[in-house]
Amino acid sequence: MATRESIKLFTNRNCPWAHRVHIVLAELGLPFEEEIIDYSKPRQPEYLKINPRGQVPTLTYGDHIIFESAFIAQFLADSVTSTHLTPRTGEAQGALIRHRIAFFVETYFSKANIYYYRAIEAKTDEDADELGKRYVDAVVKEVEPLLQDAKPFFGGSDKLTMAEVLTASFILRISTLPHTENAPLPNTMVAGMEEKAPKFFAWAQAAMKHPSVNGIYNKDGCAAEMRDRRAKARGLNQLLILHSVPN
């Protein structure tokens, strides 16, 4: 599959938002140039000219600059003549499938994934455990009912859809980071999921095993970065507590 314009992705492979774009590029087989943006260093002026916010991902497509991971992913899917990622099986049917996918993605992020960063940055392990339980509860209540026809992917598809492209990078981290050394995510985020949300569990397992999803994933690197994030958050929390104590 070819593209008329050159593609360059400014990314950091530990970032789940940037990971979304890697998934769609791999699934579409699009050739691209990659430039890693190092979080630990100030953004270079050359990159700030491309993205003044200094965030990742950013994609250049020929002379065009495209921001925000979901928009980049959809643009890439739309840029090819035909792909399973963007339904084109008739206007009404395709529109309904796109609506279902959009609703699923919005539901997952607004109801469940909100606990991902909250759990990492929780003040205490006990707070993190409670947030992990809330994630499972949200998956059971809000997400599980939307996956009743997943076989193995969203809507009964046997290939990845945009539902997986836009959520799997986070699900991969949530499912694996609790099992790392000095885990930055609580085990309560995954405990009992197979029994409580079997459709979600099976769907997530299928997505995580897909080479387009796990091809760039570095569990140890992501775990180390999230441990640093937790340490900084807890250090700041302790500092705020100290400053709030009357002299």
Side-chain angles (χ1 to χ4, degrees):
M1 190 177 296
T3 178
R4 295 180 182 178
E5 302 285 353
S6 62
I7 296 173
K8 183 172 183 178
L9 175 63
F10 297 87
T11 184
N12 184 299
R13 290 188 169 199
N14 285 340
C15 172
W17 305 104
H19 191 166
R20 286 171 147 184
V21 183
H22 286 274
I23 294 171
V24 74
L25 285 166
E27 187 65 9
L28 297 176
L30 295 173
F32 68 100
E33 180 185 355
E34 178 181 7
E35 182 169 327
I36 301 296
I37 303 300
D38 188 345
Y39 288 155
S40 66
K41 298 178 181 178
R43 305 296 185 266
Q44 294 297 313
E46 293 79 8
Y47 184 57
L48 293 175
K49 290 179 181 178
I50 297 170
N51 186 333
R53 296 179 180 179
Q55 298 172 334
V56 294
T58 304
L59 187 104
T60 58
Y61 184 82
D63 295 330
H64 302 280
I65 301 173
I66 306 170
F67 306 109
E68 300 295 337
S69 60
F71 298 147
I72 295 171
Q74 190 62 60
F75 166 78
L76 289 169
D78 290 339
S79 73
V80 301
T81 303
S82 179
T83 171
H84 54 281
L85 293 179
T86 303
R88 294 185 176 96
T89 55
E91 292 184 5
Q93 183 180 354
L96 286 169
I97 295 172
R98 288 192 292 273
H99 164 75
R100 283 192 62 203
I101 289 173
F103 183 78
F104 171 79
V105 171
E106 194 281 332
T107 298
Y108 175 76
F109 278 98
S110 66
K111 304 298 185 182
N113 204 76
I114 54 173
Y115 298 109
Y116 173 64
Y117 289 116
R118 292 181 187 179
I120 291 170
E121 297 176 349
K123 294 180 181 179
T124 66
D125 289 344
E126 290 75 16
D127 289 342
D129 286 344
E130 178 59 31
L131 290 164
K133 293 175 184 177
R134 293 184 189 179
Y135 172 80
V136 174
D137 290 344
V139 168
V140 172
K141 180 181 178 181
E142 304 287 351
V143 183
E144 174 81 355
L146 304 179
L147 290 167
Q148 294 306 307
D149 60 351
K151 293 180 181 179
F153 303 119
F154 188 83
S157 175
D158 61 352
K159 297 179 180 179
L160 290 187
T161 72
M162 290 300 289
E164 290 80 33
V165 166
L166 297 177
T167 61
S169 59
F170 285 91
I171 290 165
L172 186 58
R173 286 159 174 78
I174 290 170
S175 298
T176 59
L177 294 185
H179 304 299
T180 59
E181 184 178 357
N182 191 16
L185 283 177
N187 189 62
T188 54
M189 218 154 195
V190 294
M193 188 70 81
E194 185 173 5
E195 295 77 23
K196 295 178 180 179
K199 290 288 186 181
F200 174 85
F201 182 83
W203 168 80
Q205 293 298 310
M208 291 189 293
K209 291 176 182 176
H210 197 286
S212 292
V213 171
N214 62 40
I216 69 157
Y217 183 53
N218 182 334
K219 181 177 67 175
D220 293 337
C222 287
E225 185 173 297
M226 291 301 101
R227 283 194 294 268
D228 287 345
R229 183 170 183 143
R230 178 181 61 186
K232 290 176 182 177
R234 293 192 179 184
L236 178 60
N237 286 329
Q238 291 300 315
L239 185 62
L240 291 173
I241 291 171
L242 288 173
H243 280 287
S244 68
V245 176
N247 294 323

